[in-house]
Amino acid sequence: MQLDEEQAQQLGVDVERVKLLLIGVATLATAAAVSVAGVIGFVGLIVPHVVRLAWGPDHRQLLPLSMVLGAAFLILADVPARTIDAPSEIPVGIITALCGTPFFLFLLRLRQRAVF
């Protein structure tokens, strides 16, 4: 599967079934991580995608930049969460979800256009 779908199919792998299985496992793993860490963990999904789009897939740069930019993003999300409805606070997870949802819709549309 890592090399090519066509080669995997020639080796007897049911490619569509494996894809569905991998999507299901990834979805369950993400749901488990969010249930433990909360919606703030959504930052861990947004920032690495942005860094990978901007700087490329080199993990020597990807990991440190993801950590620094993830922290910066969380601070930038925390500021409006504390100031919009002062003196009470909006949960920072709402702000990160408001940023993350349009971003993932953008990624889906980008990938959908690349396929067709």
Side-chain angles (χ1 to χ4, degrees):
M1 288 295 292
Q2 282 184 327
L3 296 175
D4 188 12
E5 289 181 17
E6 186 177 317
Q7 289 179 357
Q9 192 171 21
Q10 289 175 354
L11 291 171
V13 175
D14 186 359
V15 174
E16 293 303 316
R17 183 175 174 208
V18 170
K19 278 198 230 177
L20 286 174
L21 180 68
L22 289 174
I23 288 172
V25 169
T27 302
L28 289 174
T30 302
V34 169
S35 71
V36 170
V39 252
I40 293 177
F42 206 49
V43 172
L45 298 173
I46 299 169
V47 174
H49 279 85
V50 172
V51 173
R52 185 168 286 138
L53 287 172
W55 280 280
D58 185 12
H59 287 290
R60 291 174 295 173
Q61 295 174 350
L62 181 69
L63 290 174
L65 285 171
S66 291
M67 287 187 283
V68 170
L69 292 177
F73 176 72
L74 197 53
I75 290 170
L76 290 174
D78 189 50
V79 170
R82 291 178 184 260
T83 58
I84 287 175
D85 194 25
S88 63
E89 295 180 11
I90 298 172
V92 73
I94 292 174
I95 304 296
T96 60
L98 287 174
C99 296
T101 303
F103 177 72
F104 279 117
L105 290 175
F106 164 75
L107 278 181
L108 286 173
R109 289 185 65 81
L110 188 69
R111 303 260 169 133
Q112 188 177 31
R113 287 183 188 162
V115 172
F116 296 112

